[in-house]
Amino acid sequence: MSHADTMGGHAGLMEKPAFAIPAKKMAMWLFIIADTATFAGCLVAYGFLRNATPNWPRPFHSITNVAIMTFILVTSSLTMLFAIDAARMGNKGKAFNWTLITAGGGALFALLHVREWLALIDEGMTLFKNPWGTGLFGAAFFSITGLHLLHVTCGVIALVAVGIRYQGGRYNADDLEITGLYWHFVDLVWMFVVPLVYLLNLGHFGH
Amino acid sequence: MAMTEGHKSSAGKYVVVYVCILAIAALQFVIAYSNITGPQMFTRMLILAVVEAALALLFFMHLSDSRGLLWFVVIFTVFVLLTLQYGWTDSFRLSGGVPWAK
């Protein structure tokens, strides 16, 4: 049964999709806009606290871990694009493999993130206190990076689930692209988290 | 549209954008070790992050293909970001440790 049949023959009278993109893709864009507001709210609140707190700590001594994490996440965005590109060209196996590689990158990022958290907790940092300065730092750091880590984890699960369904023929290249939009957004948020939360809190000198 | 025929690979373009994003990210790390004031560092890093985000939005998320959607996303996001700045004046007031100072 065609879409026109289900609409009682009035499909031609229906409004065209917004911005000429599929409804599912539009829904993802609306989610991304809403999620941007969530992350922006967190980062602005963090900036507010940081600016208003005299003894804000700068506990990070090395950029190695965050640099590796950034490299992995940006690279996983590229592999996601390769997956969509392959799907658009009808190369299902290749698209599936690139999707799994992307998910693997995300999982590796999450593991490095958890390792970093454990190291900080080991140094005495919790949500409410740390050895270096105001306890607000832990709350801000764990909230922002935790929210991002939650997005990465959900993204990895979504990538695997959508990848398997794409491979099984239930989803198509559009579905892969929509999941890719989410993944790129997670990458995009990290582009702001790194300089604001990590690099501005490097403790090598006072400025 | 799940197009499969006649689609040209954009892998080359993606790699170029990817390298640009990595280069900008590397520049942020260099700035983190430069001997400049906090506000200068913040401004430079934020500008670079916006450029990175713009590249990702335009080429990874294909907003460059749909001008209408691009304006929709930009206008809503910028509006939210601007309204979030409402409390900043209070932040500067608090920074002196005298919340109720004139």
Side-chain angles (χ1 to χ4, degrees):
Chain A
M1 186 181 287
S2 72
H3 184 61
D5 292 335
T6 59
M7 299 308 297
H10 296 295
L13 299 173
M14 288 180 69
E15 196 176 339
K16 287 179 182 172
F19 307 114
I21 60 172
K24 277 197 279 188
K25 197 171 176 180
M26 188 65 202
M28 180 54 82
W29 271 112
L30 291 173
F31 168 75
I32 286 171
I33 291 171
D35 221 21
T36 301
T38 306
F39 275 106
C42 288
L43 287 171
V44 169
Y46 155 74
F48 186 102
L49 289 173
R50 194 181 190 282
N51 201 38
T53 310
N55 60 337
W56 192 264
R58 289 178 182 165
F60 301 116
H61 303 294
S62 167
I63 57 165
T64 309
N65 195 57
V66 73
I68 293 169
M69 285 163 69
T70 303
F71 177 76
I72 290 169
L73 203 59
V74 177
T75 305
S76 75
S77 255
L78 181 70
T79 56
M80 187 70 231
L81 289 163
F82 288 162
I84 297 161
D85 214 35
R88 290 281 181 229
M89 289 191 290
N91 195 336
K92 215 164 192 174
K94 206 172 170 183
F96 180 64
N97 288 340
W98 279 120
T99 306
L100 288 190
I101 289 169
T102 306
L108 186 58
F109 173 92
L111 281 175
L112 286 173
H113 215 331
V114 169
R115 191 186 69 159
E116 179 196 50
W117 272 25
L118 292 175
L120 286 167
I121 291 167
D122 202 41
E123 286 184 55
M125 186 163 126
T126 68
L127 271 176
F128 308 108
K129 63 180 174 63
N130 63 71
W132 314 291
T134 177
L136 289 169
F137 177 78
F141 176 81
F142 284 124
S143 301
I144 294 169
T145 58
L147 187 64
H148 185 264
L149 185 57
L150 177 69
H151 278 70
V152 171
T153 308
C154 293
V156 170
I157 294 166
L159 283 169
V160 172
V162 172
I164 289 169
R165 287 184 172 215
Y166 169 76
Q167 178 76 346
R170 291 177 67 184
Y171 283 172
N172 59 28
D174 284 346
D175 298 301
L176 218 52
E177 187 181 343
I178 290 162
T179 316
L181 277 178
Y182 173 83
W183 193 251
H184 299 314
F185 171 71
V186 170
D187 184 17
L188 192 150
V189 169
W190 188 246
M191 292 170 185
F192 288 90
V193 172
V194 170
L196 299 179
V197 177
Y198 287 90
L199 300 183
L200 283 178
N201 293 320
L202 269 177
H204 51 294
F205 46 59
H207 44 67
Chain B
M1 192 177 4
M3 180 176 65
T4 54
E5 286 179 21
H7 176 80
K8 281 186 179 176
S9 173
S10 305
K13 183 178 78 178
Y14 296 147
V15 171
V16 170
V17 177
Y18 163 76
V19 170
C20 288
I21 288 174
L22 279 185
I24 295 168
L27 199 54
Q28 285 181 327
F29 284 90
V30 171
I31 289 172
Y33 281 98
S34 61
N35 196 15
I36 53 175
T37 65
Q40 284 174 329
M41 188 176 284
F42 169 76
T43 308
R44 290 173 194 190
M45 283 185 179
L46 199 59
I47 289 170
L48 288 175
V50 169
V51 174
E52 270 183 286
L55 285 173
L57 276 168
L58 289 172
F59 300 106
F60 284 7
M61 299 167 88
H62 300 114
L63 268 191
S64 60
D65 298 343
S66 172
R67 190 159 289 195
L69 184 60
L70 172 66
W71 281 113
F72 178 74
V73 171
V74 168
I75 289 170
F76 274 83
T77 307
V78 169
F79 177 79
V80 169
L81 290 173
L82 287 176
T83 53
L84 282 169
Q85 307 309 314
Y86 184 74
W88 273 110
T89 48
D90 199 46
S91 175
F92 285 112
R93 193 159 57 90
L94 285 164
S95 63
V98 279
W100 315 115
K102 287 179 184 174

